[in-house]
Amino acid sequence: MNPLYLKRVALRREQAAGGSYVWSLPVVKNWRELVFQSPVTFFCGENGSGKSTLLEALAICCGFNAEGGGKNFQFSTNETHAPLYRALEVAKGRRPRDGYFLRAESFYNVATEIERLDRDVTIGRPVVESYGGVSLHRQSHGESFLTLLLNRFGGEGLYLLDEPEAALSPARQMTMLARMHELAGLGSQFIIATHSPILMAYPGADIYVLTPEGVQKTPYRQTEHYRLTRRFLEDPEGMLSILLSQSSTD
């Protein structure tokens, strides 16, 4: 039995039509389905490849708010999400006890919504107590991300994270890896869009690289993120010499 909450996602190509830019993305034009086999799956690729768009569509199909949060978040500050979710067919496994969709770019809006909900609360616990009891607006961006991981995520959950490394130092990304491992051991599934070669090193993770040719499952050390970062760290002076000499001749 597959213990995962999301087992497969497929594109219903007959629904992929209209005037949106999203239908011209490589992830839409040259892709049919993904099968989830690991508790941790990464989407990576160049800027504009569609990884965040695909993750957003998955989140909406799973009942999450397009701007992020848990399933009880229904706020909207700007209707900018792409229509890709309408063309996806999602095969689900068992029902998660917990879940969350993190969007780095709109987490500020989530923090604001938490404060709004707590102003209106008359019974029950304030929402902020699930986030460590301290307003996310009173923490740095990175601290608020870690608060989410350490306090709000409780296990047996489906967690969709869009570029969570955006506010995290390398050391904090390693803290995130340790927390992910703990949560995976508690029956959680992660699907993460990222550029971080640190996060992508999670053992046993499936890495899907979005390319102009489609979506390709790729071993960690064969990803451009790993190879380029390693090359730079091994010889920063040489890499900088090449890069800067090229820019000076443009």
Side-chain angles (χ1 to χ4, degrees), residues 40-52:
V40 178
T41 301
F42 292 106
F43 297 156
C44 65
E46 262 302 336
N47 295 330
S49 61
K51 59 187 180 299
S52 293

Side-chain angles (χ1 to χ4, degrees), residues 199-219:
L199 296 185
M200 289 162 53
Y202 186 89
D206 286 337
I207 301 174
Y208 289 101
V209 179
L210 281 62
T211 73
E213 290 72 41
V215 181
Q216 300 176 359
K217 188 175 180 179
T218 306

Side-chain angles (χ1 to χ4, degrees), residues 138-240:
R138 297 186 180 217
Q139 304 177 53
S140 73
H141 204 185
E143 288 173 331
S144 66
F145 275 32
L146 281 180
T147 292
L148 176 71
L149 287 164
L150 298 175
N151 295 285
R152 171 57 182 79
F153 292 7
E156 296 183 49
L158 173 62
Y159 304 115
L160 309 181
L161 313 180
D162 185 22
E163 300 187 6
E165 74 277 8
L168 299 179
S169 70
R172 293 308 192 187
Q173 290 181 48
M174 294 178 190
T175 300
M176 178 179 168
L177 283 173
R179 179 58 175 160
M180 284 170 53
H181 185 64
E182 181 181 8
L183 290 166
L186 295 173
S188 298
Q189 180 180 5
F190 287 86
I191 303 174
I192 303 172
T194 186
H195 292 290
S196 170
I198 294 177
L199 296 185
M200 289 162 53
Y202 186 89
D206 286 337
I207 301 174
Y208 289 101
V209 179
L210 281 62
T211 73
E213 290 72 41
V215 181
Q216 300 176 359
K217 188 175 180 179
T218 306
Y220 172 61
R221 286 179 171 80
Q222 293 181 22
T223 63
E224 183 180 18
H225 299 69
Y226 171 83
R227 291 188 289 111
L228 192 59
T229 301
R230 178 178 178 178
R231 184 180 172 192
F232 184 88
L233 292 176
E234 288 179 342
D235 183 19
E237 294 82 7
M239 287 284 286
L240 286 169

Side-chain angles (χ1 to χ4, degrees), residues 121-147:
V121 70
T122 56
I123 58 173
R125 297 171 56 211
V127 178
V128 74
E129 287 190 12
S130 297
Y131 294 78
V134 178
S135 168
L136 298 176
H137 282 316
R138 297 186 180 217
Q139 304 177 53
S140 73
H141 204 185
E143 288 173 331
S144 66
F145 275 32
L146 281 180
T147 292

